[in-house]
Amino acid sequence: AQDIAAQSVALSWLTVLDAPISGALAMEVAADGRFAALNGTLEIGPGALDTAAGMAPTRFRRAKTYFRYDDSKEKLTFDEIVLDSRAAQLRASGHAYLSGRSGRRVEALVGQVRFSEFALDPPGLFAAPAVFTGGALDMRVQLEPLAVDIGQLVLTEAGTRYAASGRVAPGSEGWTVALDLETPSLGRDRLLEH
């Protein structure tokens, strides 16, 4: 992933991955020779997030994305994002803008993602996976060091809405999660399910 990330600013977000990647990329060059756009399909994994924080790797089984990049807007459009890991499985689409661009390096991505499928099952946390029928996420992903600022995360399940905001970052002891949560009142049985 690191080798591919170094090829174009449009692929800089891959620097956080340690995984084999295969796929296809099509680049568009403007009449004056400038890089204009990139379209790609990437199959990723198995691999891990390269947190560079001294913690054990966060592994995933596979990931896949179809994306487009418009250099004039510094915008990535993800037509599909698929992730399969022990802790989560998801299918989503969305977009992100490059932030803090310097040459082929980017400090962060600022974007929005819409989930069409989302299942959450961190080891040892739930009695059964939490399966959501939809949702959306507004976020800023800082690449070095890795950290995710969540402006708003909304997940829906059977007509119930769950919302959160906060920050997630790796540390030497594992993931540090600081979230403000908004949930409807839950009965004892419903709470124990998740």
Side-chain angles (χ1 to χ4, degrees), residues 152-155 160-165 179-185:
Q152 183 177 41
L153 169 65
V154 175
L155 297 171
T160 303
R161 179 184 182 272
Y162 304 88
S165 61
L179 295 176
D180 291 324
L181 301 172
E182 177 187 321
T183 63
S185 58

Side-chain angles (χ1 to χ4, degrees), residues 23-190:
L25 299 172
M27 184 182 301
E28 182 181 318
V29 179
D32 63 2
R34 288 181 304 107
F35 169 67
L38 181 72
N39 298 324
T41 301
L42 299 176
E43 295 275 351
I44 305 167
L49 280 176
D50 184 9
T51 60
M55 64 180 268
T58 300
R59 302 207 171 275
F60 57 88
R61 292 185 279 261
R62 73 177 193 94
K64 177 174 70 172
T65 185
Y66 300 102
F67 71 96
R68 295 171 278 135
Y69 175 70
D70 182 337
D71 194 57
S72 67
K73 298 178 182 175
E74 297 188 334
K75 180 182 180 183
L76 284 157
T77 300
F78 295 94
D79 297 311
E80 182 178 47
I81 303 166
V82 175
L83 173 67
D84 178 18
S85 73
R86 170 66 182 89
Q89 296 81 44
L90 65 85
R91 185 174 302 272
S93 60
H95 67 269
Y97 291 93
L98 307 185
S99 175
R101 178 178 177 177
S102 176
R104 291 185 181 173
R105 297 184 63 82
V106 172
E107 288 181 10
L109 300 176
V110 178
Q112 298 177 325
V113 176
R114 181 163 302 281
F115 301 108
S116 55
E117 300 173 18
F118 191 100
L120 191 60
D121 190 18
L125 189 59
F126 301 138
V131 179
F132 301 95
T133 54
L137 171 64
D138 296 335
M139 65 181 171
R140 179 183 185 274
V141 180
Q142 179 180 299
L143 299 177
E144 292 181 36
L146 180 63
V148 180
D149 293 307
I150 300 169
Q152 183 177 41
L153 169 65
V154 175
L155 297 171
T156 56
E157 173 200 28
T160 303
R161 179 184 182 272
Y162 304 88
S165 61
R167 183 175 174 88
V168 178
S172 59
E173 300 293 319
W175 288 98
T176 300
V177 179
L179 295 176
D180 291 324
L181 301 172
E182 177 187 321
T183 63
S185 58
L186 297 174
R188 178 187 164 278
D189 294 341
R190 186 73 179 114

